[in-house]
Amino acid sequence: MNEPTKHDDVIDSRDLIEYIDELVSERDELREAVSDSGTVKEREQAEAALAEWDAENMEELESVEAFADECENYADDWRHGATLIAESYFTDYAEQLAEDIGAVESCAPWPLSCIDWDAAADDLKQDFTAVTWDGCTFYVR
């Protein structure tokens, strides 16, 4: 799996869910190692490993979980695959969608060269909800 980041153009909700699950699993394994440690030395090593993980990953986990929770409120198909489109990519997304649904032909130079794709994207945004992940806006529906 590619780790989704706030800098991606498009994110599939299933990748975000899988990423969260991986982070939670890593953290839970380290917590379990602390509980299962037999000697004082083993416990200290396990606690140090957990503290290191927390320092490196807890902020990321909390950020991704908060973002996913907010997105899930707006996407009926969240668990089955909702698409999150970065604001910086939305115009390109609108153009590709228009071609995919047959609204325009990608091989025709006209009227494609005359279409205001920024305006088309703005109209399309009416069907989406903006959600922010650490300062980066994504659109989901």
Side-chain angles (χ1 to χ4, degrees):
M1 177 195 82
N2 290 331
E3 177 183 311
T5 73
K6 62 185 177 186
H7 304 292
D8 292 343
D9 290 335
V10 176
I11 299 173
D12 186 300
S13 62
R14 293 168 293 189
D15 291 337
L16 209 53
I17 292 166
E18 185 178 341
Y19 179 51
I20 291 168
D21 289 346
E22 286 178 9
L23 289 173
V24 169
S25 179
E26 288 174 11
R27 182 193 62 198
D28 290 349
E29 287 175 15
L30 290 168
R31 287 180 174 173
E32 189 174 315
V34 171
S35 298
D36 293 346
S37 56
T39 66
V40 172
K41 183 175 181 172
E42 286 176 350
R43 183 172 185 85
E44 288 172 350
Q45 289 173 337
E47 287 174 342
L50 178 58
E52 181 180 341
W53 188 94
D54 284 346
E56 293 175 1
N57 299 293
M58 188 56 78
E59 187 176 313
E60 170 75 359
L61 175 58
E62 290 170 351
S63 171
V64 174
E65 283 179 323
F67 177 64
D69 287 345
E70 186 175 1
C71 290
E72 188 172 12
N73 292 328
Y74 302 110
D76 293 337
D77 291 337
W78 182 254
R79 292 263 168 216
H80 303 289
T83 302
L84 303 139
I85 304 107
E87 183 174 47
S88 61
Y89 183 73
F90 203 84
T91 299
D92 293 327
Y93 171 81
E95 186 172 354
Q96 184 63 51
L97 178 63
E99 291 174 13
D100 290 349
I101 65 171
V104 295
E105 291 186 36
S106 60
C107 60
W110 180 89
L112 290 180
S113 61
C114 303
I115 295 174
D116 181 347
W117 286 110
D118 289 328
D122 285 343
D123 279 354
L124 183 60
K125 284 179 187 176
Q126 302 304 312
D127 295 335
F128 289 77
T129 301
V131 182
T132 304
W133 180 9
D134 287 341
C136 296
T137 301
F138 286 84
Y139 290 92
V140 63
R141 70 169 160 186

